[in-house]
Amino acid sequence: MLVLQAEAPTRPTFWGIGPVGKAAFYYLAAVAIAVFLLGSYRRVARYAEGREDPLDRLDDLPRRVVDAARVVLSNRTLRDGDLVAGLAHAFVLWGFLTLLIATTILGIDMDIYRPLTGDSFFVGDFYLSYSFVVDAMGLLFVVGLGVLLYRRYAARDGRLWGRHTSAEDDLFVWALFLLGVGGYLTEGWRILGQNFPDFETVSFVGWAVAVALDGAGMTPAMAEATYPVVWWSHSILALAFVAAIPLGKPFHMLASAANVVARDEDAGRRLPGVPADLEATNAESIDDFTWKELLDQDACTKCGRCSAACPAKAAGRPLDPRDVILDLKNYREARDAGGEKVDIVADGGTSVIDAATMESCMACMACMDACPVEIEHLDSFTRMNRQLVDQGDLDRNVQDAFQNVMQQGNTFGESQRKRADWADELDAEPTDAREESVEYLWYVGDYPSFDDRNRRVARSLARLFERADVDYGILYDDEVYDGNDVRRVGEEFLFVEQAATMVNAFDDCEFEKVVCTDPHAFNTFANEYPEVDFEEFADDPMLEVPDENWDGAPVFHWTQVVEDLVDEGRLGLRGDELDYTVTYHDPCHLGRYNGEYEAPRELVRATGCELAEMPRNRDDSFCCGGGGGGLWMEFDEDPKPSEERLREAVEDTPVGPAVEKFVVACPMCTTMFEDGRKTGGFEDEIEVVDVAELLVEAVEVRETGGVATGESGPAGSPADD
């Protein structure tokens, strides 16, 4: 027999509901839970129909779960870039979890502890503490939802609205809000109906609701009589919400957490390879996507952060990362419901994604960096790019670049014999790393080797190495294109071929470290070459692959190496040589991809220049437009990404038009911004210089007592080749 202490603070859970109502509630709860479990099982089973992921997404699972819990519970990724939304969502999450835990505790007391012991722990100090905490956290829940509702409907935050915005989004957020408010109404109704028990003041929000109801003229008798209606309204909404979780947008609460658990911390900077089997497909059907890519689709919350961060969308290109992920999800669900099969991606005609959309992607990773739930957009995007390559649906200029690489080993289509011609004007010929051992094997790259503007950058860097007495060498005509961007455009086999050629060249040399001019090469050498399974391609007659996979080597971007040289005093700089006001642009592959933000800035400061930051800097940097093959394509856009970035430099920095030089650390950025200066009308307003050119000018000023004598000219203006 259950005996409760009458004087102990507590509350009857089914007050005024009766045994029939209680039985009906348990029945409906069982149905809701069954629908939830069945729907969740079907979701997971659907993921299992996707292709096996090439990465082990669940290795060291306990660590992954703990790390994911830190990310999810802290709401760190949601606070990044939008503190108000992040805190509001944190209030909602913490409040929701508290209410869920509170309901679970109550169920344990009612359905397990009481039947087994004949007693209840839901009394006394425990009940009072429970009530206070639940009221406090529930208030955060309602306040957080109120902020989100304001941003959605009153402030009309643009990124929350898009092609995929639907009534489902309204139902989700309003259902949560009504659950929070309905819980307080139910509590206030009960407190008034029980004639304000003194101890219920700990339920301060419910008490305030009861006082408001009393002030509005409701008597305890009226509250007691109408309480069942209020209780059932709240209960049915809660049970309906539980049942609906796996059926629509609410499932993101589970899918997002699972997505964070299964994330690849190196996603984007290293792309998954493809099987050597030429019969393997990339994206002919939705089931060609891996289970993680299918999970990405369900994890999307439609928050629009990726859309707001995407430079392609800002430039007016037909790419919205959110729409691509959700288009794939909608197509998958339509196919599962018996819908018509269409091409996943194609150039013209009917397809889920148009080729022009994928061509628009700059592979800058801004979407992935902005995503709070770790959606790995580039994996899915690259899969579709590979499908376009398989189908031959490629931009003509990209095809030309592929052809140049296949025939000549570089994207310019120039003879490899000319690869080291950039060094002809140097005082000393660079060491041939094929013949002598060196400390640094310098991978110069295509643009510094063949593009006139970037050749000046290569010579500037060589002069820095010479002045600092760096033991370096180059590969001369054995150096070929690194393959980073052809891989991101979808030509995986050409990437493997280039990687094989470069690894064979590396294996034939003796060196300690690799230093790269181009952040794109830096990324692919450091993160992708060691992952290429050359042994899998050993039987391919079209590929000459190394006998063994590359075990890697220390790889550096040149700014990292020269920063150490400056710190050691090997360039003789005192930090007062130049007095320009400059701003610095973070290259995507150096910054967002690999987290190197400070080395270039330290080098700029080492020259004496005043560095004024643009509003979008470091991991928020705005892509120049050249990545992902963008350098090879032509787009009808106004303004171009490079033009928008230059406008930001001269208008939005703290010093505004006082900025004299736009400093870069990537050959592709140099090319894009030099073009943007011309097309955007910035030629008289700002000069584009590489960090290496700035350093050489500073060194020459130090050595000559105030006059620069090299290619940068006396005032830092690039001299003609």
PDB file of all heavy atoms in Angstrom, residues 198-230:
ATOM      1  N   ASP A 198       1.299  27.014   0.224  1.00  0.00           N
ATOM      2  CA  ASP A 198       2.406  27.921   0.539  1.00  0.00           C
ATOM      3  C   ASP A 198       3.722  27.494  -0.102  1.00  0.00           C
ATOM      4  O   ASP A 198       4.485  28.326  -0.604  1.00  0.00           O
ATOM      5  CB  ASP A 198       2.588  28.013   2.056  1.00  0.00           C
ATOM      6  CG  ASP A 198       1.431  28.737   2.725  1.00  0.00           C
ATOM      7  OD1 ASP A 198       0.703  29.462   2.005  1.00  0.00           O
ATOM      8  OD2 ASP A 198       1.259  28.581   3.940  1.00  0.00           O
ATOM      9  N   PHE A 199       4.005  26.184  -0.087  1.00  0.00           N
ATOM     10  CA  PHE A 199       5.303  25.724  -0.571  1.00  0.00           C
ATOM     11  C   PHE A 199       5.459  25.867  -2.085  1.00  0.00           C
ATOM     12  O   PHE A 199       6.559  25.789  -2.614  1.00  0.00           O
ATOM     13  CB  PHE A 199       5.547  24.264  -0.158  1.00  0.00           C
ATOM     14  CG  PHE A 199       4.520  23.292  -0.683  1.00  0.00           C
ATOM     15  CD1 PHE A 199       4.593  22.790  -1.978  1.00  0.00           C
ATOM     16  CD2 PHE A 199       3.465  22.884   0.131  1.00  0.00           C
ATOM     17  CE1 PHE A 199       3.647  21.897  -2.459  1.00  0.00           C
ATOM     18  CE2 PHE A 199       2.520  21.988  -0.353  1.00  0.00           C
ATOM     19  CZ  PHE A 199       2.600  21.491  -1.644  1.00  0.00           C
ATOM     20  N   GLU A 200       4.342  26.118  -2.801  1.00  0.00           N
ATOM     21  CA  GLU A 200       4.423  26.218  -4.258  1.00  0.00           C
ATOM     22  C   GLU A 200       5.012  27.541  -4.728  1.00  0.00           C
ATOM     23  O   GLU A 200       5.167  27.763  -5.926  1.00  0.00           O
ATOM     24  CB  GLU A 200       3.050  26.019  -4.893  1.00  0.00           C
ATOM     25  CG  GLU A 200       2.535  24.587  -4.848  1.00  0.00           C
ATOM     26  CD  GLU A 200       3.288  23.655  -5.778  1.00  0.00           C
ATOM     27  OE1 GLU A 200       4.342  24.058  -6.333  1.00  0.00           O
ATOM     28  OE2 GLU A 200       2.848  22.516  -5.945  1.00  0.00           O
ATOM     29  N   THR A 201       5.390  28.406  -3.783  1.00  0.00           N
ATOM     30  CA  THR A 201       6.066  29.646  -4.197  1.00  0.00           C
ATOM     31  C   THR A 201       7.396  29.345  -4.875  1.00  0.00           C
ATOM     32  O   THR A 201       7.922  30.193  -5.617  1.00  0.00           O
ATOM     33  CB  THR A 201       6.310  30.567  -2.992  1.00  0.00           C
ATOM     34  OG1 THR A 201       6.996  29.841  -1.968  1.00  0.00           O
ATOM     35  CG2 THR A 201       4.991  31.107  -2.441  1.00  0.00           C
ATOM     36  N   VAL A 202       7.962  28.138  -4.625  1.00  0.00           N
ATOM     37  CA  VAL A 202       9.211  27.799  -5.313  1.00  0.00           C
ATOM     38  C   VAL A 202       8.991  27.679  -6.817  1.00  0.00           C
ATOM     39  O   VAL A 202       9.915  27.870  -7.608  1.00  0.00           O
ATOM     40  CB  VAL A 202       9.817  26.488  -4.765  1.00  0.00           C
ATOM     41  CG1 VAL A 202      10.206  26.647  -3.301  1.00  0.00           C
ATOM     42  CG2 VAL A 202       8.888  25.313  -4.950  1.00  0.00           C
ATOM     43  N   SER A 203       7.777  27.353  -7.204  1.00  0.00           N
ATOM     44  CA  SER A 203       7.425  27.324  -8.632  1.00  0.00           C
ATOM     45  C   SER A 203       7.027  28.736  -9.021  1.00  0.00           C
ATOM     46  O   SER A 203       5.859  29.039  -9.283  1.00  0.00           O
ATOM     47  CB  SER A 203       6.285  26.336  -8.877  1.00  0.00           C
ATOM     48  OG  SER A 203       6.625  25.042  -8.444  1.00  0.00           O
ATOM     49  N   PHE A 204       8.019  29.610  -9.072  1.00  0.00           N
ATOM     50  CA  PHE A 204       7.745  31.040  -9.106  1.00  0.00           C
ATOM     51  C   PHE A 204       7.037  31.490 -10.376  1.00  0.00           C
ATOM     52  O   PHE A 204       6.235  32.424 -10.353  1.00  0.00           O
ATOM     53  CB  PHE A 204       9.034  31.836  -8.885  1.00  0.00           C
ATOM     54  CG  PHE A 204      10.120  31.570  -9.896  1.00  0.00           C
ATOM     55  CD1 PHE A 204      10.291  32.402 -10.992  1.00  0.00           C
ATOM     56  CD2 PHE A 204      10.975  30.493  -9.741  1.00  0.00           C
ATOM     57  CE1 PHE A 204      11.289  32.169 -11.916  1.00  0.00           C
ATOM     58  CE2 PHE A 204      11.985  30.257 -10.665  1.00  0.00           C
ATOM     59  CZ  PHE A 204      12.144  31.082 -11.763  1.00  0.00           C
ATOM     60  N   VAL A 205       7.310  30.827 -11.498  1.00  0.00           N
ATOM     61  CA  VAL A 205       6.623  31.220 -12.722  1.00  0.00           C
ATOM     62  C   VAL A 205       5.173  30.726 -12.679  1.00  0.00           C
ATOM     63  O   VAL A 205       4.243  31.480 -12.995  1.00  0.00           O
ATOM     64  CB  VAL A 205       7.335  30.658 -13.965  1.00  0.00           C
ATOM     65  CG1 VAL A 205       6.605  31.104 -15.237  1.00  0.00           C
ATOM     66  CG2 VAL A 205       8.778  31.126 -14.019  1.00  0.00           C
ATOM     67  N   GLY A 206       4.994  29.464 -12.271  1.00  0.00           N
ATOM     68  CA  GLY A 206       3.640  28.943 -12.148  1.00  0.00           C
ATOM     69  C   GLY A 206       2.831  29.734 -11.128  1.00  0.00           C
ATOM     70  O   GLY A 206       1.635  29.991 -11.331  1.00  0.00           O
ATOM     71  N   TRP A 207       3.476  30.129 -10.030  1.00  0.00           N
ATOM     72  CA  TRP A 207       2.795  30.941  -9.004  1.00  0.00           C
ATOM     73  C   TRP A 207       2.360  32.277  -9.601  1.00  0.00           C
ATOM     74  O   TRP A 207       1.235  32.734  -9.367  1.00  0.00           O
ATOM     75  CB  TRP A 207       3.740  31.162  -7.825  1.00  0.00           C
ATOM     76  CG  TRP A 207       3.105  31.863  -6.651  1.00  0.00           C
ATOM     77  CD1 TRP A 207       2.965  33.194  -6.469  1.00  0.00           C
ATOM     78  CD2 TRP A 207       2.519  31.235  -5.505  1.00  0.00           C
ATOM     79  NE1 TRP A 207       2.332  33.475  -5.293  1.00  0.00           N
ATOM     80  CE2 TRP A 207       2.044  32.286  -4.670  1.00  0.00           C
ATOM     81  CE3 TRP A 207       2.359  29.926  -5.105  1.00  0.00           C
ATOM     82  CZ2 TRP A 207       1.414  32.048  -3.450  1.00  0.00           C
ATOM     83  CZ3 TRP A 207       1.734  29.678  -3.884  1.00  0.00           C
ATOM     84  CH2 TRP A 207       1.264  30.709  -3.075  1.00  0.00           C
ATOM     85  N   ALA A 208       3.247  32.910 -10.393  1.00  0.00           N
ATOM     86  CA  ALA A 208       2.905  34.188 -11.021  1.00  0.00           C
ATOM     87  C   ALA A 208       1.731  34.019 -11.984  1.00  0.00           C
ATOM     88  O   ALA A 208       0.840  34.890 -12.057  1.00  0.00           O
ATOM     89  CB  ALA A 208       4.110  34.747 -11.764  1.00  0.00           C
ATOM     90  N   VAL A 209       1.676  32.891 -12.712  1.00  0.00           N
ATOM     91  CA  VAL A 209       0.548  32.626 -13.611  1.00  0.00           C
ATOM     92  C   VAL A 209      -0.731  32.476 -12.806  1.00  0.00           C
ATOM     93  O   VAL A 209      -1.794  33.005 -13.187  1.00  0.00           O
ATOM     94  CB  VAL A 209       0.821  31.366 -14.455  1.00  0.00           C
ATOM     95  CG1 VAL A 209      -0.437  30.964 -15.238  1.00  0.00           C
ATOM     96  CG2 VAL A 209       1.979  31.590 -15.414  1.00  0.00           C
ATOM     97  N   ALA A 210      -0.636  31.771 -11.669  1.00  0.00           N
ATOM     98  CA  ALA A 210      -1.821  31.587 -10.822  1.00  0.00           C
ATOM     99  C   ALA A 210      -2.316  32.927 -10.290  1.00  0.00           C
ATOM    100  O   ALA A 210      -3.532  33.185 -10.248  1.00  0.00           O
ATOM    101  CB  ALA A 210      -1.492  30.639  -9.676  1.00  0.00           C
ATOM    102  N   VAL A 211      -1.390  33.779  -9.874  1.00  0.00           N
ATOM    103  CA  VAL A 211      -1.767  35.114  -9.388  1.00  0.00           C
ATOM    104  C   VAL A 211      -2.452  35.906 -10.503  1.00  0.00           C
ATOM    105  O   VAL A 211      -3.460  36.598 -10.276  1.00  0.00           O
ATOM    106  CB  VAL A 211      -0.525  35.857  -8.863  1.00  0.00           C
ATOM    107  CG1 VAL A 211      -0.861  37.325  -8.589  1.00  0.00           C
ATOM    108  CG2 VAL A 211       0.000  35.193  -7.602  1.00  0.00           C
ATOM    109  N   ALA A 212      -1.916  35.800 -11.742  1.00  0.00           N
ATOM    110  CA  ALA A 212      -2.516  36.512 -12.868  1.00  0.00           C
ATOM    111  C   ALA A 212      -3.917  35.979 -13.160  1.00  0.00           C
ATOM    112  O   ALA A 212      -4.844  36.768 -13.435  1.00  0.00           O
ATOM    113  CB  ALA A 212      -1.634  36.368 -14.097  1.00  0.00           C
ATOM    114  N   LEU A 213      -4.087  34.666 -13.099  1.00  0.00           N
ATOM    115  CA  LEU A 213      -5.417  34.084 -13.324  1.00  0.00           C
ATOM    116  C   LEU A 213      -6.392  34.533 -12.248  1.00  0.00           C
ATOM    117  O   LEU A 213      -7.563  34.839 -12.528  1.00  0.00           O
ATOM    118  CB  LEU A 213      -5.319  32.555 -13.348  1.00  0.00           C
ATOM    119  CG  LEU A 213      -4.576  31.935 -14.530  1.00  0.00           C
ATOM    120  CD1 LEU A 213      -4.391  30.440 -14.329  1.00  0.00           C
ATOM    121  CD2 LEU A 213      -5.324  32.198 -15.830  1.00  0.00           C
ATOM    122  N   ASP A 214      -5.909  34.562 -10.993  1.00  0.00           N
ATOM    123  CA  ASP A 214      -6.752  35.024  -9.883  1.00  0.00           C
ATOM    124  C   ASP A 214      -7.135  36.481 -10.077  1.00  0.00           C
ATOM    125  O   ASP A 214      -8.290  36.882  -9.881  1.00  0.00           O
ATOM    126  CB  ASP A 214      -5.993  34.832  -8.571  1.00  0.00           C
ATOM    127  CG  ASP A 214      -6.818  35.247  -7.360  1.00  0.00           C
ATOM    128  OD1 ASP A 214      -7.954  34.749  -7.214  1.00  0.00           O
ATOM    129  OD2 ASP A 214      -6.321  36.071  -6.555  1.00  0.00           O
ATOM    130  N   GLY A 215      -6.164  37.285 -10.533  1.00  0.00           N
ATOM    131  CA  GLY A 215      -6.444  38.696 -10.771  1.00  0.00           C
ATOM    132  C   GLY A 215      -7.415  38.907 -11.913  1.00  0.00           C
ATOM    133  O   GLY A 215      -8.113  39.927 -11.975  1.00  0.00           O
ATOM    134  N   ALA A 216      -7.445  37.942 -12.835  1.00  0.00           N
ATOM    135  CA  ALA A 216      -8.369  38.058 -13.967  1.00  0.00           C
ATOM    136  C   ALA A 216      -9.773  37.608 -13.605  1.00  0.00           C
ATOM    137  O   ALA A 216     -10.672  37.636 -14.458  1.00  0.00           O
ATOM    138  CB  ALA A 216      -7.851  37.228 -15.135  1.00  0.00           C
ATOM    139  N   GLY A 217      -9.974  37.161 -12.352  1.00  0.00           N
ATOM    140  CA  GLY A 217     -11.317  36.802 -11.899  1.00  0.00           C
ATOM    141  C   GLY A 217     -11.595  35.320 -11.811  1.00  0.00           C
ATOM    142  O   GLY A 217     -12.727  34.922 -11.491  1.00  0.00           O
ATOM    143  N   MET A 218     -10.609  34.477 -12.074  1.00  0.00           N
ATOM    144  CA  MET A 218     -10.837  33.032 -11.975  1.00  0.00           C
ATOM    145  C   MET A 218     -10.754  32.599 -10.522  1.00  0.00           C
ATOM    146  O   MET A 218      -9.816  32.945  -9.810  1.00  0.00           O
ATOM    147  CB  MET A 218      -9.813  32.262 -12.808  1.00  0.00           C
ATOM    148  CG  MET A 218     -10.011  30.748 -12.780  1.00  0.00           C
ATOM    149  SD  MET A 218      -8.862  29.874 -13.851  1.00  0.00           S
ATOM    150  CE  MET A 218      -9.524  30.317 -15.463  1.00  0.00           C
ATOM    151  N   THR A 219     -11.719  31.850 -10.078  1.00  0.00           N
ATOM    152  CA  THR A 219     -11.750  31.355  -8.701  1.00  0.00           C
ATOM    153  C   THR A 219     -11.099  29.982  -8.632  1.00  0.00           C
ATOM    154  O   THR A 219     -10.962  29.287  -9.651  1.00  0.00           O
ATOM    155  CB  THR A 219     -13.189  31.229  -8.201  1.00  0.00           C
ATOM    156  OG1 THR A 219     -13.861  30.232  -8.983  1.00  0.00           O
ATOM    157  CG2 THR A 219     -13.932  32.564  -8.330  1.00  0.00           C
ATOM    158  N   PRO A 220     -10.684  29.560  -7.431  1.00  0.00           N
ATOM    159  CA  PRO A 220     -10.137  28.204  -7.288  1.00  0.00           C
ATOM    160  C   PRO A 220     -11.094  27.127  -7.787  1.00  0.00           C
ATOM    161  O   PRO A 220     -10.657  26.141  -8.388  1.00  0.00           O
ATOM    162  CB  PRO A 220      -9.879  28.086  -5.790  1.00  0.00           C
ATOM    163  CG  PRO A 220      -9.594  29.499  -5.355  1.00  0.00           C
ATOM    164  CD  PRO A 220     -10.524  30.333  -6.176  1.00  0.00           C
ATOM    165  N   ALA A 221     -12.374  27.313  -7.570  1.00  0.00           N
ATOM    166  CA  ALA A 221     -13.342  26.307  -8.018  1.00  0.00           C
ATOM    167  C   ALA A 221     -13.389  26.239  -9.541  1.00  0.00           C
ATOM    168  O   ALA A 221     -13.454  25.153 -10.130  1.00  0.00           O
ATOM    169  CB  ALA A 221     -14.731  26.638  -7.462  1.00  0.00           C
ATOM    170  N   MET A 222     -13.357  27.402 -10.183  1.00  0.00           N
ATOM    171  CA  MET A 222     -13.348  27.425 -11.642  1.00  0.00           C
ATOM    172  C   MET A 222     -12.071  26.775 -12.187  1.00  0.00           C
ATOM    173  O   MET A 222     -12.106  26.022 -13.160  1.00  0.00           O
ATOM    174  CB  MET A 222     -13.451  28.871 -12.141  1.00  0.00           C
ATOM    175  CG  MET A 222     -14.792  29.547 -11.856  1.00  0.00           C
ATOM    176  SD  MET A 222     -14.740  31.335 -12.140  1.00  0.00           S
ATOM    177  CE  MET A 222     -14.263  31.398 -13.854  1.00  0.00           C
ATOM    178  N   ALA A 223     -10.942  27.071 -11.529  1.00  0.00           N
ATOM    179  CA  ALA A 223      -9.675  26.489 -11.973  1.00  0.00           C
ATOM    180  C   ALA A 223      -9.697  24.978 -11.820  1.00  0.00           C
ATOM    181  O   ALA A 223      -9.233  24.244 -12.705  1.00  0.00           O
ATOM    182  CB  ALA A 223      -8.521  27.086 -11.170  1.00  0.00           C
ATOM    183  N   GLU A 224     -10.248  24.500 -10.703  1.00  0.00           N
ATOM    184  CA  GLU A 224     -10.307  23.054 -10.485  1.00  0.00           C
ATOM    185  C   GLU A 224     -11.206  22.382 -11.515  1.00  0.00           C
ATOM    186  O   GLU A 224     -10.886  21.301 -12.024  1.00  0.00           O
ATOM    187  CB  GLU A 224     -10.816  22.761  -9.073  1.00  0.00           C
ATOM    188  CG  GLU A 224     -10.849  21.276  -8.739  1.00  0.00           C
ATOM    189  CD  GLU A 224     -11.268  21.019  -7.307  1.00  0.00           C
ATOM    190  OE1 GLU A 224     -11.605  21.982  -6.586  1.00  0.00           O
ATOM    191  OE2 GLU A 224     -11.247  19.838  -6.896  1.00  0.00           O
ATOM    192  N   ALA A 225     -12.295  23.028 -11.864  1.00  0.00           N
ATOM    193  CA  ALA A 225     -13.244  22.437 -12.806  1.00  0.00           C
ATOM    194  C   ALA A 225     -12.690  22.388 -14.223  1.00  0.00           C
ATOM    195  O   ALA A 225     -12.960  21.454 -14.980  1.00  0.00           O
ATOM    196  CB  ALA A 225     -14.549  23.228 -12.775  1.00  0.00           C
ATOM    197  N   THR A 226     -11.899  23.403 -14.600  1.00  0.00           N
ATOM    198  CA  THR A 226     -11.395  23.470 -15.982  1.00  0.00           C
ATOM    199  C   THR A 226      -9.985  22.909 -16.133  1.00  0.00           C
ATOM    200  O   THR A 226      -9.479  22.805 -17.252  1.00  0.00           O
ATOM    201  CB  THR A 226     -11.399  24.933 -16.468  1.00  0.00           C
ATOM    202  OG1 THR A 226     -10.648  25.746 -15.549  1.00  0.00           O
ATOM    203  CG2 THR A 226     -12.821  25.463 -16.565  1.00  0.00           C
ATOM    204  N   TYR A 227      -9.366  22.549 -15.024  1.00  0.00           N
ATOM    205  CA  TYR A 227      -7.992  22.056 -15.076  1.00  0.00           C
ATOM    206  C   TYR A 227      -7.821  20.864 -16.019  1.00  0.00           C
ATOM    207  O   TYR A 227      -6.839  20.823 -16.784  1.00  0.00           O
ATOM    208  CB  TYR A 227      -7.511  21.695 -13.670  1.00  0.00           C
ATOM    209  CG  TYR A 227      -6.126  21.094 -13.647  1.00  0.00           C
ATOM    210  CD1 TYR A 227      -4.999  21.886 -13.787  1.00  0.00           C
ATOM    211  CD2 TYR A 227      -5.950  19.718 -13.485  1.00  0.00           C
ATOM    212  CE1 TYR A 227      -3.726  21.330 -13.778  1.00  0.00           C
ATOM    213  CE2 TYR A 227      -4.679  19.159 -13.472  1.00  0.00           C
ATOM    214  CZ  TYR A 227      -3.572  19.962 -13.611  1.00  0.00           C
ATOM    215  OH  TYR A 227      -2.320  19.405 -13.602  1.00  0.00           O
ATOM    216  N   PRO A 228      -8.723  19.854 -16.008  1.00  0.00           N
ATOM    217  CA  PRO A 228      -8.524  18.713 -16.914  1.00  0.00           C
ATOM    218  C   PRO A 228      -8.413  19.115 -18.390  1.00  0.00           C
ATOM    219  O   PRO A 228      -7.668  18.501 -19.156  1.00  0.00           O
ATOM    220  CB  PRO A 228      -9.749  17.834 -16.656  1.00  0.00           C
ATOM    221  CG  PRO A 228     -10.135  18.162 -15.249  1.00  0.00           C
ATOM    222  CD  PRO A 228      -9.867  19.627 -15.103  1.00  0.00           C
ATOM    223  N   VAL A 229      -9.160  20.149 -18.798  1.00  0.00           N
ATOM    224  CA  VAL A 229      -9.096  20.588 -20.194  1.00  0.00           C
ATOM    225  C   VAL A 229      -7.704  21.138 -20.509  1.00  0.00           C
ATOM    226  O   VAL A 229      -7.099  20.815 -21.542  1.00  0.00           O
ATOM    227  CB  VAL A 229     -10.171  21.663 -20.472  1.00  0.00           C
ATOM    228  CG1 VAL A 229     -10.035  22.198 -21.892  1.00  0.00           C
ATOM    229  CG2 VAL A 229     -11.561  21.097 -20.238  1.00  0.00           C
ATOM    230  N   VAL A 230      -7.202  21.956 -19.584  1.00  0.00           N
ATOM    231  CA  VAL A 230      -5.872  22.528 -19.775  1.00  0.00           C
ATOM    232  C   VAL A 230      -4.813  21.427 -19.757  1.00  0.00           C
ATOM    233  O   VAL A 230      -3.901  21.395 -20.593  1.00  0.00           O
ATOM    234  CB  VAL A 230      -5.589  23.576 -18.673  1.00  0.00           C
ATOM    235  CG1 VAL A 230      -4.168  24.140 -18.822  1.00  0.00           C
ATOM    236  CG2 VAL A 230      -6.616  24.690 -18.730  1.00  0.00           C
TER     237      VAL A 230
END
